[in-house]
């Protein structure tokens, strides 16, 4: 029986709606690395439209999934997508770095997946404010109704010049980050930032020309990373998930930003080293053995066929690590 999913712009049956909401990337590679074959509990820390979880649950009839997303709209779609699997799925609205502690679940994990960033639906929905399309209110909060988290406009209006420059330099690798930060601070005194147009106008002035789409994408992505504290959450989340994995279990991380990919690479490298002492110490004082093995020497990207079918998969980079 077809499941009807109602999301503001889209209303369709289940299989089609997953693709419309978000097409899961590198599914074969994820399943090959996770090997969900026997009974076990898996964490999908970024369940989105539920595409990856659905494949995992179909592939392994004895597997159960903790399906986590901090966005209540995404979780509603995942609930509809994964409804056929009944009690094999536990849904939790939380950030993935705090999900396990909030769930109270202590059973070790047989595997975990983090497919970072935003879903296609979030980017395509103007009311979420992730896009540089014209006249869109700058919001960018993943958990859109969470109180106490400043949205993108508030961040632009309230942060000092140094912080703004750091955001665009570190997260956006923007060579003119300082000039852009100065421009934002000078403009907001006359008119506070509210929409995508305000930020694009400041960026055009700082650059001295109209920015290309890829430059705007970088700047908007940098702001989104800052609004949601994505780097800090990833750092904490990786550590917390590693602790929860059972021996032999794999964590797979798909990232879409070089900074996130580097963080994942370095974490996996450190966990796979036998010695993490400061170089030059006369004797080893650390754990003295690796905690597991990195399964991906270099990051795996999508195939040409996948990029042709789903251009948004282009920047995805997948890394995996298995606990000893
Ligand atoms: C790329 S999509 C995941 C798509 C999913 N794999 C699928 O098959 O549909 C990323 C999802 O992660 C969620 N998300 C991003 N950061 C998060 C965080 N720190 N904690 C929980 N969910 C997060 C977003 O709301 C979004 O729904």
């Amino acid at each position: 029986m077809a499941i009807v999913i109602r999301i503001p712009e889209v209303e369709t049956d289940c299989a089609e709606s997953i693709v419309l909401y978000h097409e899961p990337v590198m599914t074969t590679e994820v399943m090959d690395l996770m090997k969900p074959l026997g009974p076990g509990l898996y964490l999908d820390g970024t369940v989105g439209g539920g595409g990856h979880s659905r494949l995992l649950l179909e592939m392994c009839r004895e597997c159960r999934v903790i399906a986590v997303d901090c966005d209540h709209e995404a979780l509603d779609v995942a609930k509809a997508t994964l409804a056929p699997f009944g009690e094999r799925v536990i849904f939790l609205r939380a950030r993935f770095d705090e999900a396990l502690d909030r769930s109270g679940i202590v059973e070790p994990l047989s595997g975990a997946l983090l497919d970072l960033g935003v879903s296609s639906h979030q980017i395509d929905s103007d009311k979420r404010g992730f896009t540089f399309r014209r006249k869109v209110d700058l919001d960018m909060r993943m958990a859109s109704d969470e109180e106490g988290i400043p949205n993108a406009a508030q961040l632009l209006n309230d942060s000092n010049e140094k912080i703004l420059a750091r955001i665009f330099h570190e997260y956006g690798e923007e060579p003119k980050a300082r000039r852009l930060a100065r421009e934002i601070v000078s403009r907001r005194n006359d008119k506070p930032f509210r929409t995508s147009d305000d930020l694009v106008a400041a960026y055009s002035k700082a650059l001295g020309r109209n920015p290309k789409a890829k430059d705007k994408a970088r700047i908007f992505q940098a702001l989104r990373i800052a609004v949601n504290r994505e780097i800090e959450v990833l750092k904490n989340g990786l550590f917390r998930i590693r602790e929860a994995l059972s021996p032999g279990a794999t964590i797979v991380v798909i990232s879409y930003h070089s900074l996130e990919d580097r963080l994942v690479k370095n974490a996996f490298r450190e966990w796979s080293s036998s010695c993490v002492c400061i170089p030059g110490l006369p004797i080893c004082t650390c754990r003295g053995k690796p905690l597991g093995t990195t399964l991906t020497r270099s990051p795996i990207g999508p195939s040409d066929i996948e990029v042709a079918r789903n251009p948004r998969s282009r920047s995805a980079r997948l890394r995996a690590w298995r606990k000893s």
Side-chain angles (χ1 to χ4, degrees), residues 22 45-52 69-70 94-96 115-118 122 233:
H22 181 85
T46 51
V47 71
H52 283 110
D69 205 293
C70 56
R95 279 196 338 235
F96 59 71
D115 178 14
L116 302 169
V118 280
Q122 288 166 323
V233 169

